[in-house]
Amino acid sequence: MKIFDVIIAGGGLAGLATAAQLVEKNKNLKVLVYEANQIGGGASGVPAGMVNPATGQRARMVWNAEACFRMLEKRLEQLSGISNTILRLQNGVLRPAVDENLAKNFKQSLKNTRWPKGWIEWLDSDQVRKLMPHLKESSGGIFISKGKVVRTPDYLEAYTRYLKDAGVTFLFGGPYSLENNGGWTLKNRKDAFIAPKLVLTAGYKTKESKYWSDLPLNSVKGQLAIYHCDEKIRQLPAVSAYGYIAPVDDHQLAVGSTYEHHFHDENPDVQGAGQLDQKLREMIPDLYPKCQRIGQWSGIRATTPDRLPVAGEHYEKKGLYIYAGLGSKGLLYSEFIASLLATHITEKKDLPYEISLYRFSRMEELRDKAREDGDTSDQD
Ligand SMILES: Cc1cc2nc3c(=O)[nH]c(=O)nc-3n(C[C@H](O)[C@H](O)[C@H](O)COP(=O)(O)OP(=O)(O)OC[C@H]3O[C@@H](n4cnc5c(N)ncnc54)[C@H](O)[C@@H]3O)c2cc1C
């Protein structure tokens, strides 16, 4: 039996960020990351992720954008120092207004939102063409200089190395059972690990835990393709328009993503490839003939009804925490929310209501019921 202070089940963006924030708050904490498959084995394995604070048709500023950016950038800076490869491309994000309606929405966002100085600007159609000559005709667009592309597998690799150096233990291996007997015991075929606190960061698989089956998490499959371009494209901004087109290095371009609410399996398929080819052909017609699809990837995002992540302690089982629902903004949200969760775990500081369990009325009902019934212990 091996004893830890906190066990984190799931080695994606949420799990690694939680481990880091915990040990950085208290370097004496013994933390285990238990990953069922491999680091980045879930949605976080996306080959290239875009970081864009102005999302949706109305280019709304994401929740706590400044704090999210500050924390992500700090982590990128730190991990870049220990990585042998480039972790991010900082060419900004261009959101072309593909029609007049979108142009109107974008201009309104600039007018009505208090964007931090220097983050975002309106470009007319000539300026858009100058920035991205290959792009199809637009009605102007917004350029988000803060936006960037992260090479996620390299980021996770550097992150894992950093955490190991900071004393975090990593363990890999298939199925396990969870027992709640005062603390939490995680047993796999070979071993047992015990801790007073356990954080489940299993992405869309979180719903498979009986403790969290009431959580309103949806699974949305996404596919992404990588293209080799004969032309050098590394200097280009990422383009966000019904998905994204992002340079990954000198000659590779990532095109994402599909949003599949109903799917039969988790693998990439020909329909996905067709959609992504079409996206590239439509958005960057001049570049398309010089590009060849060389890879395809798929993953499942966990999303919530209000599109904000969810974090906190179980309404009934003390010491059991969750952090999930990062949707399509895992890079931007993971570090900031992990820091809030780590403070909640170590100092019992309340989490903001917007990301708490209790914003979902069903969870509030369950908490009230648990209070009436008293606590119980059981096994998974
Ligand atoms: C096609 C696509 C494109 C995307 N593009 C972007 C983007 O441009 N920008 C962006 O910010 N985000 C993007 N995302 C979303 C981002 O990838 C997710 O928000 C993020 O990865 C979720 O991280 P997570 O740690 O919550 O979950 P996951 O990454 O799914 O991690 C869960 C981990 O838990 C493991 N696991 C599962 N069950 C268990 C268990 N029972 N016990 C232990 N471990 C378990 C899994 O193997 C996995 O490693 C994209 C997603 C997809 C699918």
Side-chain angles (χ1 to χ4, degrees):
M1 184 93 74
K2 294 177 182 134
I3 297 170
F4 290 87
D5 295 305
V6 184
I7 298 173
I8 295 169
L13 287 167
L16 299 194
T18 306
Q21 292 294 334
L22 282 168
V23 294
E24 285 168 1
K25 286 197 193 325
N26 177 352
K27 66 177 176 16
N28 296 320
L29 280 182
K30 284 187 74 187
V31 175
L32 168 71
V33 174
Y34 188 93
E35 163 56 52
N37 297 302
Q38 59 188 43
I39 299 300
S44 304
V46 61
M50 194 178 58
V51 183
N52 168 26
T55 62
Q57 298 265 318
R58 299 190 182 274
R60 286 218 170 92
M61 183 155 60
V62 302
W63 184 74
N64 269 298
E66 282 183 275
C68 289
F69 251 100
R70 198 170 45 246
M71 297 207 60
L72 173 67
E73 285 183 340
K74 197 169 147 211
R75 186 67 71 199
L76 277 163
E77 193 62 37
Q78 175 203 36
L79 296 180
S80 293
I82 61 162
S83 176
N84 305 324
T85 57
I86 293 163
L87 301 184
R88 80 286 211 199
L89 276 72
Q90 314 208 69
N91 304 338
V93 170
L94 176 64
R95 296 212 55 197
V98 290
D99 56 43
E100 284 301 329
N101 200 29
L102 220 49
K104 199 174 112 217
N105 286 350
F106 288 175
K107 282 180 183 164
Q108 287 220 317
S109 169
L110 280 171
K111 203 169 137 213
N112 301 339
T113 310
R114 290 179 61 176
W115 286 99
K117 202 161 173 262
W119 274 33
I120 184 166
E121 64 180 308
W122 173 258
L123 303 182
D124 64 29
S125 50
D126 288 341
Q127 289 171 308
V128 168
R129 199 168 309 119
K130 202 164 159 215
L131 189 66
M132 184 90 190
H134 320 81
L135 202 68
K136 81 168 187 180
E137 197 63 36
S138 73
S139 310
I142 46 177
F143 179 64
I144 304 127
S145 52
K146 274 289 210 191
K148 59 184 99 257
V149 176
V150 175
R151 295 171 21 156
T152 332
D154 295 326
Y155 179 70
L156 294 177
E157 199 269 328
Y159 215 149
T160 308
R161 231 159 1 105
Y162 161 68
L163 288 173
K164 284 182 179 167
D165 284 350
V168 172
T169 306
F170 280 79
L171 214 109
F172 301 89
Y176 59 82
S177 66
L178 258 191
E179 283 173 22
N180 177 210
N181 34 25
W184 292 91
T185 307
L186 188 152
K187 277 188 189 161
N188 68 2
R189 258 179 303 160
K190 285 201 219 132
D191 240 323
F193 309 89
I194 186 161
K197 290 171 178 151
L198 185 137
V199 190
L200 189 62
T201 53
Y204 84 101
K205 296 260 187 188
T206 302
K207 279 272 285 189
E208 289 178 9
S209 158
K210 72 172 179 186
Y211 298 113
W212 296 108
S213 55
D214 288 307
L215 207 65
L217 275 186
N218 301 313
S219 302
V220 184
K221 177 177 172 181
Q223 301 190 49
L224 175 141
I226 301 286
Y227 297 81
H228 174 87
C229 298
D230 296 337
E231 203 170 293
K232 193 169 172 196
I233 43 95
R234 194 190 184 291
Q235 73 292 354
L236 296 177
V239 175
S240 163
Y242 307 112
Y244 61 98
I245 298 175
V248 184
D249 63 20
D250 280 355
H251 290 279
Q252 281 190 19
L253 205 56
V255 179
S257 318
T258 63
Y259 279 81
E260 301 166 51
H261 293 267
H262 306 284
F263 52 91
H264 300 297
D265 69 56
E266 300 180 7
N267 299 313
D269 55 36
V270 284
Q271 287 85 357
Q275 270 188 47
L276 297 164
D277 283 356
Q278 193 185 342
K279 195 186 294 280
L280 182 59
R281 189 168 50 234
E282 261 177 30
M283 288 307 299
I284 318 194
D286 293 351
L287 200 59
Y288 180 74
K290 299 176 193 162
C291 295
Q292 190 191 355
R293 180 159 36 80
I294 55 166
Q296 201 182 342
W297 180 89
S298 65
I300 316 291
R301 317 166 180 92
T303 67
T304 63
D306 60 11
R307 304 279 184 276
L308 276 177
V310 58
E313 190 171 17
H314 195 272
Y315 43 85
E316 186 187 12
K317 303 287 172 199
K318 292 297 143 211
L320 177 63
Y321 297 82
I322 191 188
Y323 178 13
L326 285 166
S328 35
K329 300 186 194 72
L331 284 162
L332 204 42
Y333 283 147
S334 53
E335 203 66 48
F336 177 55
I337 293 178
S339 98
L340 298 174
L341 179 61
T343 314
H344 177 65
I345 292 172
T346 54
E347 297 167 27
K348 296 200 180 311
K349 192 164 177 228
D350 282 347
L351 286 159
Y353 181 75
E354 295 96 312
I355 56 161
S356 83
L357 291 169
Y358 302 110
R359 71 191 199 266
F360 305 120
S361 53
R362 171 90 185 113
M363 307 308 284
E364 207 163 1
E365 270 170 39
L366 287 164
R367 177 187 56 184
D368 295 344
K369 188 169 178 311
R371 279 182 181 155
E372 279 163 27
D373 295 350
D375 201 359
T376 50
S377 288
D378 55 4
Q379 296 192 345
D380 210 14

